Amino acid sequence: MLAVIFSAKIVRLLQAFVLDVLLQRKILKESVLRWAMHMLIFWGFILLLFMHALGRIVTDALFSNYEPTLNPYFFLRDMFGLMVLAGVVVAVIRRFFLKIPRLMTNSMDKYAIGILAVIILSGFLLAGLKITSKTEFSNMADEYAGWLSDEELQALESYWVSDHGLVSSDVTRPFEADVLQQGKQAHESYCAYCHAPAQSAFASYSTGKVLSPAAGAMDRAGFVGILWYIHFLSCFIGLAYLPFSKMLHIFSTPVTIMANAVMDEKKSKPENVATRQIIELDACTHCCTCSLYCSAMMGYEARQNTYILPSEKIAPLKALAAGRDLDEAETRAILEGIYLCTNCDRCTVVCPSGINLRQLWLNAREKLLQQGPAEPLVLSQLSFVRGLNRKKTPADSYPLPLEKADNAVSVKYRPLLDPERSIDLTPPAADRQQASGFENTFSYCFGCQNCSTVCPVVGNYEDPQVQLGLLPHQIMCSLGLGLTETAMGAKMIWDCLTCYQCQEHCPQNVKVTDILYELKYMAVAGVDEGRQNHDQAGGLR
């Protein structure tokens, strides 16, 4: 830490703190709505904490003559509370109504939203009821204006009923002008130095107006005390639950973001890396952004194992790090999720908390291997999922292209059988030169199956592997194993519609469509060579 503070890395540290912690740049890149939700909750909560909950410690030290019922504090308290409440409303809408893809809501998410909602709503109800409470007014008058005569106290009470939202059955409207003037003078002499007009707290004042028909009965029943206990107990419950919930990311996420901004994996000590990874486990906000971009998503669709999703693997990893033993079913599920990870690093890149997720999975895999032999998982046994996030393609959507593809397959072998019907499909030299250079990108393929998942030709068949011979990801695998002739023999290369969906969705930038083109050219070249041999041999006998 000292090496960072007294080095040029301090600039990167400050940049990460301002842009990624305070302004939450990564969340803004993903979604403006989600960014607005986080900013409302984050800034509203932090400002309420320092200006209101810790007002006597923080605000009083910064500003002279601080009183929570004076402006601007009276106004700002309501504004910050409404910011948090608006953020909670957006969170509820996102979690339960918008149905955002791969956004999963667990008990921790519900508890966090529920606790925040209870704290803010009970605060507004408490402040609104205190504005209308005759008991609170009487206590204030006894403490700060107890030496006033009964006539002056009644005038002050009339003025508060008229202008401050107080509800009292001891005074009757309409009030005479001289009574209100006398009450105003008493207010300015004894109350105004620590109490701004109640209308300044616009949200609490509006809440009090809504409660005013029942305010008298609620005051006599002691609801101010009841709400006070609900508000403070909910705050303390939130504090007690904080270390065991996702809300701990309020502290751990900034540490993670700044640590990853300056740490060098190669130079850092293993102990420091391990410490950072433990903090990263608590930095996860369960926002599910990593799951949205996960290359192993088709494995989840096939297996319905939630631990295949990056955001869902964090909880069992935290349990393992804490030394808790998982049951057999949970262990098998997390093993499968860890081994299905393709190490594409997309989750790390998009994580708004700055967690190095790829390194977490690698270390967890190593740890699990040390604990005992892992059950082998054969990817080909997974049931194939067609069309990620799209409806199944109707069987008759591509009749003409597929018919042409069938003819192309026949053309491939016609020259050897009937030279008179041969068709020269050899591309011009310029085209072949343009297509060359892509054949080696298949070596980057790690078998995530994205190309096969989004392929409309694959999605056209109930049993695509039988119909097409090899699927796009299997063709890339065959080339990686040096089985070029096997890849050339797949009907898939002729059925390809050249929509480039496979190439656009490849996380490794493999030129899938261009490679299929190249295989097609090689197959045609092989046909030409076979035709020449046929002609030299004098035809088939």
Side-chain angles (χ1 to χ4, degrees):
M1 292 170 65
L2 291 174
V4 170
I5 293 173
F6 297 102
S7 71
K9 287 184 177 180
I10 190 67
V11 177
R12 294 213 308 263
L13 190 71
L14 292 174
Q15 183 183 35
F17 178 71
V18 173
L19 296 179
D20 295 327
V21 176
L22 298 183
L23 300 181
Q24 303 185 19
R25 172 179 56 177
K26 286 190 174 183
I27 297 179
L28 179 59
K29 290 180 179 179
E30 293 297 322
S31 168
V32 175
L33 179 63
R34 185 172 151 219
W35 175 81
M37 175 196 73
H38 274 267
M39 292 297 282
L40 288 170
I41 293 177
F42 173 75
W43 282 109
F45 181 85
I46 293 297
L47 292 170
L48 268 182
L49 176 67
F50 288 109
M51 194 211 73
H52 177 52
L54 302 177
R56 290 298 181 187
I57 300 173
V58 178
T59 315
D60 199 9
L62 295 175
F63 304 99
S64 60
N65 301 322
Y66 165 74
E67 290 293 340
T69 50
L70 280 178
N71 278 329
Y73 318 109
F74 214 8
F75 167 79
L76 291 176
R77 184 177 63 197
D78 273 25
M79 188 179 75
F80 298 152
L82 279 181
M83 286 171 61
V84 178
L85 189 60
V88 169
V89 170
V90 175
V92 170
I93 292 173
R94 289 184 74 253
R95 290 275 176 182
F96 302 104
F97 296 99
L98 291 185
K99 306 298 181 183
I100 296 174
R102 306 183 196 176
L103 178 61
M104 296 190 175
T105 302
N106 59 26
S107 57
M108 280 200 307
D109 301 310
K110 295 176 182 177
Y111 293 155
I113 293 174
I115 290 172
L116 276 177
V118 171
I119 290 173
I120 301 301
L121 290 175
S122 63
F124 278 127
L125 289 172
L126 175 59
L129 198 57
K130 287 178 72 174
I131 288 174
T132 63
S133 171
K134 171 63 186 300
T135 303
E136 290 295 311
F137 171 80
S138 298
N139 293 336
M140 181 191 68
D142 290 342
E143 184 173 357
Y144 298 105
W147 48 87
L148 292 177
S149 65
D150 291 342
E151 181 183 354
E152 290 174 321
L153 283 175
Q154 190 173 26
L156 179 63
E157 185 174 343
S158 300
Y159 175 73
W160 272 64
V161 170
S162 175
D163 284 30
H164 286 261
L166 176 65
V167 175
S168 174
S169 58
D170 295 340
V171 293
T172 307
R173 294 173 183 270
F175 304 115
E176 296 180 1
D178 58 339
V179 171
L180 293 178
Q181 183 62 31
Q182 184 181 14
K184 182 178 180 181
Q185 291 175 353
H187 169 79
E188 291 175 349
S189 300
Y190 301 104
C191 304
Y193 71 94
C194 67
H195 205 297
Q199 292 86 339
S200 303
F202 58 99
S204 299
Y205 182 78
S206 301
T207 304
K209 282 294 185 182
V210 172
L211 295 174
S212 57
M218 295 176 71
D219 184 36
R220 290 188 293 273
F223 266 80
V224 171
I226 294 172
L227 286 171
W228 189 92
Y229 279 108
I230 291 174
H231 183 65
F232 274 81
L233 282 175
S234 61
C235 290
F236 282 116
I237 288 171
L239 285 173
Y241 180 58
L242 189 147
F244 313 101
S245 72
K246 64 176 286 183
M247 291 189 290
L248 189 58
H249 78 266
I250 296 172
F251 305 102
S252 54
T253 296
V255 175
T256 296
I257 290 174
M258 292 188 290
N260 277 311
V262 296
M263 282 187 71
D264 188 339
E265 293 285 344
K266 296 179 180 178
K267 297 180 180 179
S268 298
K269 293 181 179 180
E271 296 89 341
N272 289 342
V273 174
T275 302
R276 189 206 70 211
Q277 288 187 328
I278 291 296
I279 298 173
E280 285 178 333
L281 291 175
D282 286 321
C284 177
T285 64
H286 200 247
C287 66
C288 300
T289 302
C290 51
S291 296
L292 183 64
Y293 291 92
C294 180
S295 298
M297 185 62 186
M298 65 290 299
Y300 164 72
E301 296 286 355
R303 306 288 288 183
Q304 292 299 302
N305 175 7
T306 56
Y307 289 159
I308 294 174
L309 303 177
S311 60
E312 309 307 313
K313 285 200 283 273
I314 293 292
L317 289 184
K318 287 178 67 174
L320 288 172
R324 183 170 68 86
D325 293 329
L326 305 179
D327 58 44
E328 183 179 352
E330 199 171 14
T331 302
R332 288 169 60 88
I334 188 61
L335 280 172
E336 185 176 70
I338 289 291
Y339 295 134
L340 272 176
C341 174
T342 62
N343 298 326
C344 67
D345 211 25
R346 298 171 82 183
C347 51
T348 301
V349 172
V350 300
C351 178
S353 298
I355 304 172
N356 192 334
L357 291 166
R358 179 176 179 272
Q359 193 63 43
L360 268 180
W361 312 145
L362 291 174
N363 288 2
R365 185 181 298 174
E366 181 180 351
K367 182 68 175 178
L368 290 169
L369 281 171
Q370 291 174 356
Q371 290 181 353
E375 180 180 338
L377 180 67
V378 182
L379 291 179
S380 61
Q381 292 176 352
L382 298 178
S383 58
F384 186 76
V385 182
R386 298 187 306 277
L388 186 63
N389 289 336
R390 65 177 177 85
K391 295 181 180 179
K392 182 182 180 301
T393 308
D396 58 350
S397 294
Y398 303 103
L400 184 58
L402 293 181
E403 182 181 343
K404 290 183 177 180
D406 288 334
N407 293 335
V409 174
S410 302
V411 168
K412 176 181 175 182
Y413 300 102
R414 279 182 197 150
L416 299 178
L417 302 177
D418 188 355
E420 299 297 328
R421 297 178 57 193
S422 64
I423 301 175
D424 188 6
L425 295 179
T426 305
D431 290 346
R432 283 189 57 79
Q433 185 177 4
Q434 183 180 2
S436 63
F438 297 128
E439 63 271 9
N440 289 332
T441 63
F442 58 75
S443 61
Y444 305 144
C445 175
F446 49 66
C448 73
Q449 304 184 33
N450 260 1
C451 52
S452 298
T453 300
V454 300
C455 177
V457 176
V458 173
N460 194 62
Y461 295 107
E462 289 294 335
D463 196 348
Q465 193 163 344
V466 173
Q467 299 293 332
L468 302 173
L470 295 175
L471 305 184
H473 76 279
Q474 294 170 328
I475 293 176
M476 301 303 110
C477 181
S478 299
L479 293 174
L481 296 173
L483 304 176
T484 306
E485 291 187 359
T486 301
M488 288 168 53
K491 187 170 176 284
M492 179 67 228
I493 66 174
W494 306 96
D495 282 13
C496 175
L497 299 174
T498 66
C499 65
Y500 279 89
Q501 287 291 312
C502 53
Q503 199 155 305
E504 291 175 2
H505 285 78
C506 179
Q508 292 294 90
N509 294 320
V510 178
K511 307 297 184 182
V512 183
T513 305
D514 296 322
I515 289 173
L516 296 183
Y517 260 122
E518 184 70 14
L519 288 173
K520 195 181 301 184
Y521 295 153
M522 293 169 63
V524 172
V527 170
D528 289 341
E529 184 179 353
R531 182 166 52 196
Q532 291 174 4
N533 294 336
H534 164 82
D535 293 339
Q536 292 174 1
L540 293 175
R541 293 180 174 83

